[in-house]
Amino acid sequence: MSTHNVWTHKGTFLLAAVGSAVGLGNLWRFPYLTGENGGGAFILVYALTIFAVGIPILIAETMLGRNSRQSPIMGMRYLTRTHNTSRAWESIGWLGAASAFLILSFYSVIAGWAIHYTWQMLTGSLSGADAETIGAGFDALLASPALLTLYHTLFIIASGLIVAMGIHRGIESGLRIMMPALFVILLLVLGYGVANGDFGAAARFLFTFNIADLSLEGWLAAMGQSFFTLSLGMGAIMAYGAYMSSEASLTRTAVAVAFVDTAVAMVAGLAIFSLVFGAGLSPGQGPGLMFVTLPMAFAEMPLGALIGGVFFILVLGAAISSSISLIEPVAAFLVERFDLTRPQAVTTMVVASWALGLLTVVSFNIYAEGTIFHALFGRSAFDFIELLTNIFMPLGGLLIALFAGWALTHAEVMKEMRTSETWFSIWRFLVRFVAPAAVAFVFLRSIPQIEGYLIPTIGALVIVGAFAAGRTFLIDHSQEQ
Ligand code: PFF
């Protein structure tokens, strides 16, 4: 069993990358962050970051995967050897594996909430319920470790089974059904929102750009969201890139992934806010927007149980196609490095991540306070794990941009990108300077959330160190240009 195979079709990488990118980030996180941060202005910054930073790093990460044709860890080991660079760059692979493991642990718990709501919608138990009942229902869900664990377990097993079946039978065929179904259902919900909600108010809210509405916090949230939503800096895209056909165009594919991902977020935003404004609800609900506010809208509308059920199935499909991309890089590594079979590798990753997920489960109830995490970091285990990934992802993106920008030769990049000198120069300028600077900005800003100054200082040193490493270890190659 080899993991070094190639997707069956030239276009499958696009499908897989879109599957990875489109997830809870688009349907749940994007609308609530937009709602909290004043609408249009947030979207403007988000879109600018996607195009100036997201796409160049997306190209860089895919390039590293396709160039090495191995899992991120083994692939980076190969690249450091063939490019005569320090083995420290292998940390890109390890950091990615660590983030994948951490993200999967809580992503699965949150996706599990969608199982709960799918069930509640389809059985009609929320039909006609008032706001208070629905809010209390959400609180009751969070208060139950048993329910949360059940849903978390179901979700992670489903994701694991798909990856265990391999990239062709499992991931490819799964995506081929899931992605188109997802778009159809999303359009259906949008159609319903247009017909029955307040589409005009939603469009005004999302597309009236008043930059003065945006706080510094909002700027940073918009940039952070653009990394999370494109699945950058984690090795997920690198692992999928390793299976990408050599003929497929990198640049065009990256632009298409970013375009589809952004389009899905926009359509989700329009659909959700049409329903929210139509029901006279407030957009700035925070994380509860999808899981509390939408069921309220669904409870009031005719056919709400059906539309709501379909909507939460869509959320589940999007979350599964993202979570399989979190399992794949680690599983592929275990297969390559330890000669495990694919099912063994997937089981190892999934069981470990499932166990860690239990920490997230109890963070909402029995250990909502008073744990060692609160004592040491002033936050619950879940918030701490999420914070770690918020640091690891931009750091991974930064290192990927630096490695691709400085270590790969002109010829290698041109072979991958097959583009004009002008586009090459623009891309290289973006990954060498613009993307690292932007990431450093987000990175540094995300850290002071931990109180005190020690960690920001360490963060600054790490970033300066990364730049220094880029220059020092890669000097041979930068001279070739
Ligand atoms: N991009 C996914 C989303 O928007 O939900 C989340 C994600 C998936 C992040 C895979 C990172 C990753 F590697």
Side-chain angles (χ1 to χ4, degrees), residues 301-322:
M301 67 176 67
L303 277 187
L306 184 65
I307 308 274
V310 165
F311 180 82
F312 281 105
I313 290 174
L314 150 80
V315 174
L316 274 176
I320 278 213
S321 62
S322 295

Side-chain angles (χ1 to χ4, degrees), residues 124-473:
S125 38
L126 290 181
S127 300
D130 59 12
E132 216 172 295
T133 317
I134 291 171
F138 184 65
D139 294 343
L141 169 67
L142 294 195
S144 165
L147 264 189
L148 293 181
T149 305
L150 171 71
Y151 295 133
H152 167 48
T153 311
L154 289 176
F155 182 84
I156 216 164
I157 288 180
S159 310
L161 281 177
I162 295 180
V163 186
M165 286 197 278
I167 73 163
H168 299 306
R169 229 156 39 96
I171 300 183
E172 279 199 48
S173 17
L175 287 171
R176 204 156 280 135
I177 300 165
M178 252 168 344
M179 295 319 288
L182 213 134
F183 294 124
V184 172
I185 298 172
L186 188 55
L187 288 177
L188 225 128
V189 176
L190 177 66
Y192 188 87
V194 171
N196 299 286
D198 192 344
F199 182 76
R204 271 193 305 282
F205 180 68
L206 293 182
F207 302 122
T208 311
F209 303 114
N210 182 3
I211 208 76
D213 289 347
L214 202 60
S215 60
L216 176 65
E217 282 297 319
W219 271 84
L220 298 161
M223 293 180 75
Q225 170 64 6
S226 59
F227 279 92
F228 185 82
T229 193
L230 288 180
S231 305
L232 291 179
M234 301 252 336
I237 293 296
M238 212 189 286
Y240 280 178
Y243 312 134
M244 186 182 188
S245 118
S246 311
E247 278 98 66
S249 157
L250 251 183
T251 325
R252 227 173 300 141
T253 310
V255 171
V257 171
F259 179 81
V260 175
D261 185 68
T262 307
V264 171
M266 297 298 162
V267 174
L270 281 171
I272 288 179
F273 286 115
S274 296
L275 295 172
V276 165
F277 289 125
L281 302 165
S282 140
Q285 302 277 317
L289 185 71
M290 194 181 83
F291 290 106
V292 181
T293 314
L294 273 189
M296 291 181 196
F298 292 134
E300 279 172 20
M301 67 176 67
L303 277 187
L306 184 65
I307 308 274
V310 165
F311 180 82
F312 281 105
I313 290 174
L314 150 80
V315 174
L316 274 176
I320 278 213
S321 62
S322 295
S323 68
I324 58 181
S325 77
L326 290 164
I327 301 174
E328 179 60 26
V330 181
F333 165 68
L334 294 174
V335 170
E336 283 167 15
R337 179 70 183 75
F338 300 106
D339 241 357
L340 299 186
T341 63
R342 195 166 243 280
Q344 285 168 339
V346 170
T347 309
T348 311
M349 159 71 168
V350 161
V351 168
S353 210
W354 175 85
L356 184 69
L358 296 180
L359 279 184
T360 292
V361 164
V362 294
S363 297
F364 293 109
N365 35 69
I366 42 184
Y367 290 116
E369 47 204 25
T371 66
I372 185 162
F373 292 96
H374 292 88
L376 290 178
F377 309 107
R379 60 193 67 230
S380 68
F382 163 60
D383 288 336
F384 179 69
I385 293 170
E386 206 198 6
L387 177 73
L388 273 187
T389 61
N390 280 341
I391 296 170
F392 287 0
M393 277 182 88
L395 186 59
L398 173 83
L399 295 176
I400 287 168
L402 288 175
F403 191 90
W406 296 98
L408 299 186
T409 61
H410 175 261
E412 279 174 315
V413 175
M414 283 310 265
K415 184 172 140 255
E416 296 287 352
M417 283 181 72
R418 277 191 259 117
T419 186
S420 66
E421 281 297 326
T422 317
W423 281 115
F424 166 79
S425 307
I426 293 175
W427 171 80
R428 208 175 58 179
F429 179 73
L430 290 173
V431 285
R432 279 188 168 182
F433 304 106
V434 178
V439 174
F441 181 62
V442 179
F443 181 47
L444 273 181
R445 185 54 196 79
S446 75
I447 293 176
Q449 285 165 359
I450 303 175
E451 300 75 30
Y453 297 96
L454 180 68
I455 301 203
T457 315
I458 295 172
L461 289 177
V462 167
I463 288 166
V464 171
F467 273 100
R471 299 302 313 236
T472 314
F473 295 123

